[in-house]
PDB file of all heavy atoms in Angstrom:
ATOM      1  N   PHE A 828      15.083 -65.644  -7.371  1.00  0.00           N
ATOM      2  CA  PHE A 828      15.467 -64.999  -6.121  1.00  0.00           C
ATOM      3  C   PHE A 828      16.705 -64.129  -6.318  1.00  0.00           C
ATOM      4  O   PHE A 828      16.779 -63.003  -5.805  1.00  0.00           O
ATOM      5  CB  PHE A 828      15.733 -66.055  -5.050  1.00  0.00           C
ATOM      6  CG  PHE A 828      16.126 -65.481  -3.716  1.00  0.00           C
ATOM      7  CD1 PHE A 828      15.164 -64.924  -2.887  1.00  0.00           C
ATOM      8  CD2 PHE A 828      17.443 -65.489  -3.301  1.00  0.00           C
ATOM      9  CE1 PHE A 828      15.519 -64.382  -1.654  1.00  0.00           C
ATOM     10  CE2 PHE A 828      17.802 -64.956  -2.079  1.00  0.00           C
ATOM     11  CZ  PHE A 828      16.840 -64.402  -1.251  1.00  0.00           C
ATOM     12  N   THR A 829      17.671 -64.614  -7.068  1.00  0.00           N
ATOM     13  CA  THR A 829      18.897 -63.857  -7.330  1.00  0.00           C
ATOM     14  C   THR A 829      18.588 -62.543  -8.030  1.00  0.00           C
ATOM     15  O   THR A 829      19.090 -61.477  -7.645  1.00  0.00           O
ATOM     16  CB  THR A 829      19.867 -64.687  -8.187  1.00  0.00           C
ATOM     17  OG1 THR A 829      20.265 -65.847  -7.455  1.00  0.00           O
ATOM     18  CG2 THR A 829      21.112 -63.880  -8.558  1.00  0.00           C
ATOM     19  N   LYS A 830      17.754 -62.584  -9.036  1.00  0.00           N
ATOM     20  CA  LYS A 830      17.405 -61.370  -9.771  1.00  0.00           C
ATOM     21  C   LYS A 830      16.634 -60.394  -8.892  1.00  0.00           C
ATOM     22  O   LYS A 830      16.796 -59.174  -9.013  1.00  0.00           O
ATOM     23  CB  LYS A 830      16.601 -61.730 -11.020  1.00  0.00           C
ATOM     24  CG  LYS A 830      17.434 -62.446 -12.082  1.00  0.00           C
ATOM     25  CD  LYS A 830      16.602 -62.806 -13.303  1.00  0.00           C
ATOM     26  CE  LYS A 830      17.469 -63.455 -14.384  1.00  0.00           C
ATOM     27  NZ  LYS A 830      16.669 -63.856 -15.571  1.00  0.00           N
ATOM     28  N   LEU A 831      15.817 -60.925  -7.993  1.00  0.00           N
ATOM     29  CA  LEU A 831      15.081 -60.069  -7.062  1.00  0.00           C
ATOM     30  C   LEU A 831      16.041 -59.337  -6.128  1.00  0.00           C
ATOM     31  O   LEU A 831      15.887 -58.137  -5.871  1.00  0.00           O
ATOM     32  CB  LEU A 831      14.099 -60.915  -6.254  1.00  0.00           C
ATOM     33  CG  LEU A 831      13.249 -60.178  -5.214  1.00  0.00           C
ATOM     34  CD1 LEU A 831      12.293 -59.203  -5.897  1.00  0.00           C
ATOM     35  CD2 LEU A 831      12.467 -61.179  -4.359  1.00  0.00           C
ATOM     36  N   MET A 832      17.051 -60.046  -5.633  1.00  0.00           N
ATOM     37  CA  MET A 832      18.038 -59.428  -4.754  1.00  0.00           C
ATOM     38  C   MET A 832      18.873 -58.380  -5.494  1.00  0.00           C
ATOM     39  O   MET A 832      19.153 -57.304  -4.956  1.00  0.00           O
ATOM     40  CB  MET A 832      18.957 -60.503  -4.166  1.00  0.00           C
ATOM     41  CG  MET A 832      18.290 -61.486  -3.215  1.00  0.00           C
ATOM     42  SD  MET A 832      17.613 -60.717  -1.700  1.00  0.00           S
ATOM     43  CE  MET A 832      15.859 -60.521  -2.166  1.00  0.00           C
ATOM     44  N   LEU A 833      19.240 -58.678  -6.709  1.00  0.00           N
ATOM     45  CA  LEU A 833      20.029 -57.727  -7.500  1.00  0.00           C
ATOM     46  C   LEU A 833      19.244 -56.447  -7.774  1.00  0.00           C
ATOM     47  O   LEU A 833      19.809 -55.355  -7.829  1.00  0.00           O
ATOM     48  CB  LEU A 833      20.461 -58.367  -8.816  1.00  0.00           C
ATOM     49  CG  LEU A 833      21.549 -59.444  -8.707  1.00  0.00           C
ATOM     50  CD1 LEU A 833      21.695 -60.182 -10.029  1.00  0.00           C
ATOM     51  CD2 LEU A 833      22.877 -58.831  -8.291  1.00  0.00           C
ATOM     52  N   LYS A 834      17.943 -56.595  -7.931  1.00  0.00           N
ATOM     53  CA  LYS A 834      17.087 -55.440  -8.197  1.00  0.00           C
ATOM     54  C   LYS A 834      16.921 -54.572  -6.965  1.00  0.00           C
ATOM     55  O   LYS A 834      16.834 -53.335  -7.076  1.00  0.00           O
ATOM     56  CB  LYS A 834      15.715 -55.927  -8.684  1.00  0.00           C
ATOM     57  CG  LYS A 834      14.687 -54.826  -8.892  1.00  0.00           C
ATOM     58  CD  LYS A 834      13.340 -55.413  -9.277  1.00  0.00           C
ATOM     59  CE  LYS A 834      12.268 -54.330  -9.383  1.00  0.00           C
ATOM     60  NZ  LYS A 834      10.928 -54.904  -9.709  1.00  0.00           N
ATOM     61  N   ASN A 835      16.899 -55.166  -5.790  1.00  0.00           N
ATOM     62  CA  ASN A 835      16.512 -54.431  -4.584  1.00  0.00           C
ATOM     63  C   ASN A 835      17.660 -54.081  -3.636  1.00  0.00           C
ATOM     64  O   ASN A 835      17.464 -53.263  -2.738  1.00  0.00           O
ATOM     65  CB  ASN A 835      15.463 -55.238  -3.816  1.00  0.00           C
ATOM     66  CG  ASN A 835      14.111 -55.201  -4.482  1.00  0.00           C
ATOM     67  OD1 ASN A 835      13.355 -54.243  -4.346  1.00  0.00           O
ATOM     68  ND2 ASN A 835      13.788 -56.255  -5.246  1.00  0.00           N
ATOM     69  N   ILE A 836      18.811 -54.719  -3.787  1.00  0.00           N
ATOM     70  CA  ILE A 836      19.940 -54.431  -2.908  1.00  0.00           C
ATOM     71  C   ILE A 836      21.009 -53.648  -3.664  1.00  0.00           C
ATOM     72  O   ILE A 836      21.375 -54.007  -4.789  1.00  0.00           O
ATOM     73  CB  ILE A 836      20.555 -55.728  -2.349  1.00  0.00           C
ATOM     74  CG1 ILE A 836      19.514 -56.475  -1.505  1.00  0.00           C
ATOM     75  CG2 ILE A 836      21.799 -55.432  -1.505  1.00  0.00           C
ATOM     76  CD1 ILE A 836      20.005 -57.805  -0.965  1.00  0.00           C
ATOM     77  N   ASP A 837      21.510 -52.588  -3.063  1.00  0.00           N
ATOM     78  CA  ASP A 837      22.606 -51.810  -3.652  1.00  0.00           C
ATOM     79  C   ASP A 837      23.916 -52.470  -3.237  1.00  0.00           C
ATOM     80  O   ASP A 837      24.486 -52.154  -2.186  1.00  0.00           O
ATOM     81  CB  ASP A 837      22.548 -50.361  -3.154  1.00  0.00           C
ATOM     82  CG  ASP A 837      23.594 -49.471  -3.823  1.00  0.00           C
ATOM     83  OD1 ASP A 837      24.535 -50.020  -4.440  1.00  0.00           O
ATOM     84  OD2 ASP A 837      23.464 -48.237  -3.719  1.00  0.00           O
ATOM     85  N   PHE A 838      24.384 -53.395  -4.059  1.00  0.00           N
ATOM     86  CA  PHE A 838      25.589 -54.136  -3.696  1.00  0.00           C
ATOM     87  C   PHE A 838      26.854 -53.292  -3.797  1.00  0.00           C
ATOM     88  O   PHE A 838      27.853 -53.606  -3.151  1.00  0.00           O
ATOM     89  CB  PHE A 838      25.711 -55.411  -4.534  1.00  0.00           C
ATOM     90  CG  PHE A 838      24.839 -56.527  -4.045  1.00  0.00           C
ATOM     91  CD1 PHE A 838      23.698 -56.890  -4.740  1.00  0.00           C
ATOM     92  CD2 PHE A 838      25.137 -57.196  -2.871  1.00  0.00           C
ATOM     93  CE1 PHE A 838      22.878 -57.918  -4.277  1.00  0.00           C
ATOM     94  CE2 PHE A 838      24.332 -58.213  -2.395  1.00  0.00           C
ATOM     95  CZ  PHE A 838      23.202 -58.580  -3.104  1.00  0.00           C
ATOM     96  N   ASN A 839      26.824 -52.213  -4.576  1.00  0.00           N
ATOM     97  CA  ASN A 839      27.971 -51.308  -4.574  1.00  0.00           C
ATOM     98  C   ASN A 839      28.138 -50.683  -3.188  1.00  0.00           C
ATOM     99  O   ASN A 839      29.250 -50.627  -2.645  1.00  0.00           O
ATOM    100  CB  ASN A 839      27.788 -50.210  -5.629  1.00  0.00           C
ATOM    101  CG  ASN A 839      27.968 -50.710  -7.034  1.00  0.00           C
ATOM    102  OD1 ASN A 839      28.858 -51.519  -7.307  1.00  0.00           O
ATOM    103  ND2 ASN A 839      27.134 -50.248  -7.952  1.00  0.00           N
ATOM    104  N   GLU A 840      27.024 -50.242  -2.618  1.00  0.00           N
ATOM    105  CA  GLU A 840      27.075 -49.628  -1.288  1.00  0.00           C
ATOM    106  C   GLU A 840      27.341 -50.662  -0.205  1.00  0.00           C
ATOM    107  O   GLU A 840      28.170 -50.450   0.690  1.00  0.00           O
ATOM    108  CB  GLU A 840      25.759 -48.906  -1.005  1.00  0.00           C
ATOM    109  CG  GLU A 840      25.677 -48.226   0.356  1.00  0.00           C
ATOM    110  CD  GLU A 840      26.661 -47.078   0.521  1.00  0.00           C
ATOM    111  OE1 GLU A 840      27.079 -46.504  -0.503  1.00  0.00           O
ATOM    112  OE2 GLU A 840      27.008 -46.763   1.676  1.00  0.00           O
ATOM    113  N   LEU A 841      26.648 -51.804  -0.267  1.00  0.00           N
ATOM    114  CA  LEU A 841      26.825 -52.835   0.752  1.00  0.00           C
ATOM    115  C   LEU A 841      28.250 -53.363   0.759  1.00  0.00           C
ATOM    116  O   LEU A 841      28.858 -53.531   1.829  1.00  0.00           O
ATOM    117  CB  LEU A 841      25.839 -53.980   0.528  1.00  0.00           C
ATOM    118  CG  LEU A 841      25.924 -55.160   1.505  1.00  0.00           C
ATOM    119  CD1 LEU A 841      25.781 -54.695   2.951  1.00  0.00           C
ATOM    120  CD2 LEU A 841      24.854 -56.204   1.177  1.00  0.00           C
ATOM    121  N   SER A 842      28.806 -53.622  -0.407  1.00  0.00           N
ATOM    122  CA  SER A 842      30.175 -54.149  -0.458  1.00  0.00           C
ATOM    123  C   SER A 842      31.184 -53.115   0.033  1.00  0.00           C
ATOM    124  O   SER A 842      32.189 -53.470   0.653  1.00  0.00           O
ATOM    125  CB  SER A 842      30.530 -54.599  -1.883  1.00  0.00           C
ATOM    126  OG  SER A 842      30.540 -53.510  -2.785  1.00  0.00           O
ATOM    127  N   THR A 843      30.907 -51.829  -0.210  1.00  0.00           N
ATOM    128  CA  THR A 843      31.786 -50.767   0.300  1.00  0.00           C
ATOM    129  C   THR A 843      31.793 -50.777   1.820  1.00  0.00           C
ATOM    130  O   THR A 843      32.843 -50.640   2.464  1.00  0.00           O
ATOM    131  CB  THR A 843      31.324 -49.390  -0.213  1.00  0.00           C
ATOM    132  OG1 THR A 843      31.451 -49.354  -1.639  1.00  0.00           O
ATOM    133  CG2 THR A 843      32.165 -48.264   0.398  1.00  0.00           C
ATOM    134  N   ARG A 844      30.629 -50.988   2.429  1.00  0.00           N
ATOM    135  CA  ARG A 844      30.537 -51.037   3.887  1.00  0.00           C
ATOM    136  C   ARG A 844      31.226 -52.284   4.432  1.00  0.00           C
ATOM    137  O   ARG A 844      31.814 -52.255   5.514  1.00  0.00           O
ATOM    138  CB  ARG A 844      29.062 -50.988   4.306  1.00  0.00           C
ATOM    139  CG  ARG A 844      28.389 -49.694   3.904  1.00  0.00           C
ATOM    140  CD  ARG A 844      26.944 -49.580   4.366  1.00  0.00           C
ATOM    141  NE  ARG A 844      26.359 -48.341   3.855  1.00  0.00           N
ATOM    142  CZ  ARG A 844      25.256 -47.770   4.310  1.00  0.00           C
ATOM    143  NH1 ARG A 844      24.599 -48.321   5.320  1.00  0.00           N
ATOM    144  NH2 ARG A 844      24.800 -46.655   3.793  1.00  0.00           N
ATOM    145  N   VAL A 845      31.161 -53.377   3.682  1.00  0.00           N
ATOM    146  CA  VAL A 845      31.829 -54.600   4.114  1.00  0.00           C
ATOM    147  C   VAL A 845      33.347 -54.449   4.025  1.00  0.00           C
ATOM    148  O   VAL A 845      34.082 -54.852   4.932  1.00  0.00           O
ATOM    149  CB  VAL A 845      31.358 -55.802   3.260  1.00  0.00           C
ATOM    150  CG1 VAL A 845      32.216 -57.035   3.551  1.00  0.00           C
ATOM    151  CG2 VAL A 845      29.901 -56.107   3.544  1.00  0.00           C
ATOM    152  N   MET A 846      33.835 -53.879   2.934  1.00  0.00           N
ATOM    153  CA  MET A 846      35.285 -53.704   2.775  1.00  0.00           C
ATOM    154  C   MET A 846      35.856 -52.796   3.856  1.00  0.00           C
ATOM    155  O   MET A 846      36.970 -53.016   4.334  1.00  0.00           O
ATOM    156  CB  MET A 846      35.598 -53.132   1.389  1.00  0.00           C
ATOM    157  CG  MET A 846      35.495 -54.133   0.254  1.00  0.00           C
ATOM    158  SD  MET A 846      36.018 -53.461  -1.352  1.00  0.00           S
ATOM    159  CE  MET A 846      34.561 -52.493  -1.801  1.00  0.00           C
ATOM    160  N   GLY A 847      35.110 -51.782   4.245  1.00  0.00           N
ATOM    161  CA  GLY A 847      35.594 -50.876   5.269  1.00  0.00           C
ATOM    162  C   GLY A 847      36.913 -50.213   4.867  1.00  0.00           C
ATOM    163  O   GLY A 847      37.135 -49.924   3.686  1.00  0.00           O
ATOM    164  N   PRO A 848      37.823 -50.003   5.821  1.00  0.00           N
ATOM    165  CA  PRO A 848      39.104 -49.345   5.516  1.00  0.00           C
ATOM    166  C   PRO A 848      39.940 -50.090   4.465  1.00  0.00           C
ATOM    167  O   PRO A 848      40.713 -49.476   3.741  1.00  0.00           O
ATOM    168  CB  PRO A 848      39.826 -49.338   6.873  1.00  0.00           C
ATOM    169  CG  PRO A 848      38.725 -49.386   7.882  1.00  0.00           C
ATOM    170  CD  PRO A 848      37.667 -50.261   7.265  1.00  0.00           C
ATOM    171  N   ALA A 849      39.766 -51.415   4.373  1.00  0.00           N
ATOM    172  CA  ALA A 849      40.534 -52.184   3.389  1.00  0.00           C
ATOM    173  C   ALA A 849      40.210 -51.748   1.972  1.00  0.00           C
ATOM    174  O   ALA A 849      41.049 -51.852   1.065  1.00  0.00           O
ATOM    175  CB  ALA A 849      40.254 -53.676   3.556  1.00  0.00           C
ATOM    176  N   GLY A 850      39.002 -51.236   1.760  1.00  0.00           N
ATOM    177  CA  GLY A 850      38.610 -50.808   0.420  1.00  0.00           C
ATOM    178  C   GLY A 850      39.426 -49.652  -0.105  1.00  0.00           C
ATOM    179  O   GLY A 850      39.680 -49.559  -1.310  1.00  0.00           O
ATOM    180  N   SER A 851      39.867 -48.756   0.807  1.00  0.00           N
ATOM    181  CA  SER A 851      40.649 -47.592   0.369  1.00  0.00           C
ATOM    182  C   SER A 851      42.045 -47.979  -0.089  1.00  0.00           C
ATOM    183  O   SER A 851      42.714 -47.212  -0.784  1.00  0.00           O
ATOM    184  CB  SER A 851      40.740 -46.571   1.511  1.00  0.00           C
ATOM    185  OG  SER A 851      41.436 -47.126   2.625  1.00  0.00           O
ATOM    186  N   LYS A 852      42.485 -49.186   0.291  1.00  0.00           N
ATOM    187  CA  LYS A 852      43.822 -49.647  -0.097  1.00  0.00           C
ATOM    188  C   LYS A 852      43.782 -50.524  -1.353  1.00  0.00           C
ATOM    189  O   LYS A 852      44.828 -50.930  -1.858  1.00  0.00           O
ATOM    190  CB  LYS A 852      44.447 -50.435   1.052  1.00  0.00           C
ATOM    191  CG  LYS A 852      44.576 -49.638   2.349  1.00  0.00           C
ATOM    192  CD  LYS A 852      45.095 -50.512   3.476  1.00  0.00           C
ATOM    193  CE  LYS A 852      45.138 -49.748   4.799  1.00  0.00           C
ATOM    194  NZ  LYS A 852      45.601 -50.596   5.935  1.00  0.00           N
ATOM    195  N   ALA A 853      42.586 -50.837  -1.821  1.00  0.00           N
ATOM    196  CA  ALA A 853      42.440 -51.723  -2.973  1.00  0.00           C
ATOM    197  C   ALA A 853      42.370 -50.930  -4.270  1.00  0.00           C
ATOM    198  O   ALA A 853      42.012 -49.746  -4.280  1.00  0.00           O
ATOM    199  CB  ALA A 853      41.170 -52.563  -2.813  1.00  0.00           C
ATOM    200  N   THR A 854      42.686 -51.580  -5.365  1.00  0.00           N
ATOM    201  CA  THR A 854      42.578 -50.942  -6.673  1.00  0.00           C
ATOM    202  C   THR A 854      41.107 -50.887  -7.077  1.00  0.00           C
ATOM    203  O   THR A 854      40.286 -51.682  -6.586  1.00  0.00           O
ATOM    204  CB  THR A 854      43.355 -51.723  -7.736  1.00  0.00           C
ATOM    205  OG1 THR A 854      42.727 -53.007  -7.929  1.00  0.00           O
ATOM    206  CG2 THR A 854      44.809 -51.934  -7.318  1.00  0.00           C
ATOM    207  N   PRO A 855      40.749 -49.969  -7.976  1.00  0.00           N
ATOM    208  CA  PRO A 855      39.359 -49.931  -8.457  1.00  0.00           C
ATOM    209  C   PRO A 855      38.911 -51.276  -9.037  1.00  0.00           C
ATOM    210  O   PRO A 855      37.767 -51.687  -8.838  1.00  0.00           O
ATOM    211  CB  PRO A 855      39.389 -48.838  -9.524  1.00  0.00           C
ATOM    212  CG  PRO A 855      40.497 -47.928  -9.090  1.00  0.00           C
ATOM    213  CD  PRO A 855      41.543 -48.841  -8.513  1.00  0.00           C
ATOM    214  N   ALA A 856      39.813 -51.956  -9.732  1.00  0.00           N
ATOM    215  CA  ALA A 856      39.470 -53.257 -10.325  1.00  0.00           C
ATOM    216  C   ALA A 856      39.176 -54.288  -9.246  1.00  0.00           C
ATOM    217  O   ALA A 856      38.233 -55.082  -9.369  1.00  0.00           O
ATOM    218  CB  ALA A 856      40.604 -53.740 -11.229  1.00  0.00           C
ATOM    219  N   ASP A 857      39.967 -54.280  -8.171  1.00  0.00           N
ATOM    220  CA  ASP A 857      39.742 -55.237  -7.085  1.00  0.00           C
ATOM    221  C   ASP A 857      38.443 -54.926  -6.342  1.00  0.00           C
ATOM    222  O   ASP A 857      37.720 -55.841  -5.928  1.00  0.00           O
ATOM    223  CB  ASP A 857      40.917 -55.231  -6.105  1.00  0.00           C
ATOM    224  CG  ASP A 857      42.125 -55.989  -6.635  1.00  0.00           C
ATOM    225  OD1 ASP A 857      41.949 -56.829  -7.535  1.00  0.00           O
ATOM    226  OD2 ASP A 857      43.250 -55.740  -6.146  1.00  0.00           O
ATOM    227  N   ARG A 858      38.134 -53.645  -6.170  1.00  0.00           N
ATOM    228  CA  ARG A 858      36.875 -53.277  -5.504  1.00  0.00           C
ATOM    229  C   ARG A 858      35.680 -53.712  -6.354  1.00  0.00           C
ATOM    230  O   ARG A 858      34.689 -54.223  -5.832  1.00  0.00           O
ATOM    231  CB  ARG A 858      36.828 -51.771  -5.238  1.00  0.00           C
ATOM    232  CG  ARG A 858      37.768 -51.301  -4.141  1.00  0.00           C
ATOM    233  CD  ARG A 858      37.412 -49.909  -3.655  1.00  0.00           C
ATOM    234  NE  ARG A 858      37.566 -48.904  -4.701  1.00  0.00           N
ATOM    235  CZ  ARG A 858      38.692 -48.233  -4.934  1.00  0.00           C
ATOM    236  NH1 ARG A 858      39.771 -48.461  -4.184  1.00  0.00           N
ATOM    237  NH2 ARG A 858      38.740 -47.324  -5.887  1.00  0.00           N
ATOM    238  N   LYS A 859      35.779 -53.512  -7.660  1.00  0.00           N
ATOM    239  CA  LYS A 859      34.700 -53.927  -8.552  1.00  0.00           C
ATOM    240  C   LYS A 859      34.524 -55.442  -8.531  1.00  0.00           C
ATOM    241  O   LYS A 859      33.398 -55.942  -8.499  1.00  0.00           O
ATOM    242  CB  LYS A 859      34.995 -53.454  -9.981  1.00  0.00           C
ATOM    243  CG  LYS A 859      33.897 -53.776 -10.979  1.00  0.00           C
ATOM    244  CD  LYS A 859      34.227 -53.226 -12.355  1.00  0.00           C
ATOM    245  CE  LYS A 859      33.124 -53.541 -13.360  1.00  0.00           C
ATOM    246  NZ  LYS A 859      33.440 -52.986 -14.705  1.00  0.00           N
ATOM    247  N   GLU A 860      35.643 -56.156  -8.521  1.00  0.00           N
ATOM    248  CA  GLU A 860      35.588 -57.614  -8.475  1.00  0.00           C
ATOM    249  C   GLU A 860      34.993 -58.091  -7.153  1.00  0.00           C
ATOM    250  O   GLU A 860      34.212 -59.043  -7.128  1.00  0.00           O
ATOM    251  CB  GLU A 860      37.000 -58.183  -8.657  1.00  0.00           C
ATOM    252  CG  GLU A 860      37.089 -59.705  -8.629  1.00  0.00           C
ATOM    253  CD  GLU A 860      36.634 -60.360  -9.918  1.00  0.00           C
ATOM    254  OE1 GLU A 860      35.938 -59.697 -10.718  1.00  0.00           O
ATOM    255  OE2 GLU A 860      36.969 -61.529 -10.133  1.00  0.00           O
ATOM    256  N   PHE A 861      35.346 -57.427  -6.072  1.00  0.00           N
ATOM    257  CA  PHE A 861      34.800 -57.808  -4.771  1.00  0.00           C
ATOM    258  C   PHE A 861      33.286 -57.619  -4.754  1.00  0.00           C
ATOM    259  O   PHE A 861      32.565 -58.467  -4.221  1.00  0.00           O
ATOM    260  CB  PHE A 861      35.442 -56.995  -3.653  1.00  0.00           C
ATOM    261  CG  PHE A 861      34.922 -57.357  -2.287  1.00  0.00           C
ATOM    262  CD1 PHE A 861      35.412 -58.461  -1.614  1.00  0.00           C
ATOM    263  CD2 PHE A 861      33.917 -56.603  -1.690  1.00  0.00           C
ATOM    264  CE1 PHE A 861      34.915 -58.811  -0.355  1.00  0.00           C
ATOM    265  CE2 PHE A 861      33.421 -56.944  -0.434  1.00  0.00           C
ATOM    266  CZ  PHE A 861      33.918 -58.055   0.228  1.00  0.00           C
ATOM    267  N   THR A 862      32.822 -56.521  -5.322  1.00  0.00           N
ATOM    268  CA  THR A 862      31.381 -56.273  -5.358  1.00  0.00           C
ATOM    269  C   THR A 862      30.653 -57.399  -6.073  1.00  0.00           C
ATOM    270  O   THR A 862      29.620 -57.897  -5.599  1.00  0.00           O
ATOM    271  CB  THR A 862      31.088 -54.933  -6.062  1.00  0.00           C
ATOM    272  OG1 THR A 862      31.687 -53.871  -5.311  1.00  0.00           O
ATOM    273  CG2 THR A 862      29.587 -54.686  -6.175  1.00  0.00           C
ATOM    274  N   ARG A 863      31.176 -57.831  -7.195  1.00  0.00           N
ATOM    275  CA  ARG A 863      30.561 -58.909  -7.972  1.00  0.00           C
ATOM    276  C   ARG A 863      30.571 -60.222  -7.193  1.00  0.00           C
ATOM    277  O   ARG A 863      29.537 -60.905  -7.077  1.00  0.00           O
ATOM    278  CB  ARG A 863      31.315 -59.072  -9.297  1.00  0.00           C
ATOM    279  CG  ARG A 863      30.762 -60.150 -10.218  1.00  0.00           C
ATOM    280  CD  ARG A 863      31.580 -60.215 -11.508  1.00  0.00           C
ATOM    281  NE  ARG A 863      32.912 -60.750 -11.277  1.00  0.00           N
ATOM    282  CZ  ARG A 863      33.229 -62.049 -11.368  1.00  0.00           C
ATOM    283  NH1 ARG A 863      32.302 -62.946 -11.679  1.00  0.00           N
ATOM    284  NH2 ARG A 863      34.477 -62.448 -11.156  1.00  0.00           N
ATOM    285  N   LEU A 864      31.719 -60.567  -6.641  1.00  0.00           N
ATOM    286  CA  LEU A 864      31.844 -61.833  -5.913  1.00  0.00           C
ATOM    287  C   LEU A 864      31.040 -61.820  -4.615  1.00  0.00           C
ATOM    288  O   LEU A 864      30.372 -62.799  -4.269  1.00  0.00           O
ATOM    289  CB  LEU A 864      33.319 -62.115  -5.615  1.00  0.00           C
ATOM    290  CG  LEU A 864      34.205 -62.373  -6.835  1.00  0.00           C
ATOM    291  CD1 LEU A 864      35.681 -62.348  -6.430  1.00  0.00           C
ATOM    292  CD2 LEU A 864      33.856 -63.705  -7.491  1.00  0.00           C
ATOM    293  N   PHE A 865      31.111 -60.711  -3.902  1.00  0.00           N
ATOM    294  CA  PHE A 865      30.390 -60.625  -2.636  1.00  0.00           C
ATOM    295  C   PHE A 865      28.881 -60.697  -2.864  1.00  0.00           C
ATOM    296  O   PHE A 865      28.159 -61.330  -2.085  1.00  0.00           O
ATOM    297  CB  PHE A 865      30.743 -59.339  -1.889  1.00  0.00           C
ATOM    298  CG  PHE A 865      29.949 -59.166  -0.620  1.00  0.00           C
ATOM    299  CD1 PHE A 865      30.237 -59.929   0.505  1.00  0.00           C
ATOM    300  CD2 PHE A 865      28.885 -58.271  -0.577  1.00  0.00           C
ATOM    301  CE1 PHE A 865      29.479 -59.798   1.661  1.00  0.00           C
ATOM    302  CE2 PHE A 865      28.132 -58.139   0.580  1.00  0.00           C
ATOM    303  CZ  PHE A 865      28.428 -58.898   1.701  1.00  0.00           C
ATOM    304  N   ALA A 866      28.393 -60.056  -3.923  1.00  0.00           N
ATOM    305  CA  ALA A 866      26.961 -60.105  -4.220  1.00  0.00           C
ATOM    306  C   ALA A 866      26.503 -61.544  -4.393  1.00  0.00           C
ATOM    307  O   ALA A 866      25.482 -61.965  -3.833  1.00  0.00           O
ATOM    308  CB  ALA A 866      26.653 -59.288  -5.480  1.00  0.00           C
ATOM    309  N   ALA A 867      27.258 -62.329  -5.160  1.00  0.00           N
ATOM    310  CA  ALA A 867      26.894 -63.734  -5.380  1.00  0.00           C
ATOM    311  C   ALA A 867      26.965 -64.517  -4.079  1.00  0.00           C
ATOM    312  O   ALA A 867      26.078 -65.338  -3.782  1.00  0.00           O
ATOM    313  CB  ALA A 867      27.816 -64.353  -6.426  1.00  0.00           C
TER     314      ALA A 867
END
């Protein structure tokens, strides 16, 4: 199921929408880490 979700969901885009304005204040490394953690 996890692999199916990773294949079909754009977690880079979804996590960007979740972060909202807070994402613009975060470092690229923190945004990348959030995408990984949020996806799981």
Side-chain angles (χ1 to χ4, degrees):
F828 180 77
T829 296
K830 291 179 177 178
L831 179 66
M832 294 297 97
L833 288 169
K834 175 184 176 182
N835 286 280
I836 298 177
D837 185 345
F838 281 107
N839 287 320
E840 180 65 24
L841 179 56
S842 64
T843 296
R844 297 183 184 197
V845 171
M846 284 185 282
S851 63
K852 301 175 184 178
T854 66
D857 283 339
R858 288 196 296 270
K859 183 177 180 179
E860 180 77 342
F861 180 81
T862 298
R863 181 179 70 91
L864 294 168
F865 176 74

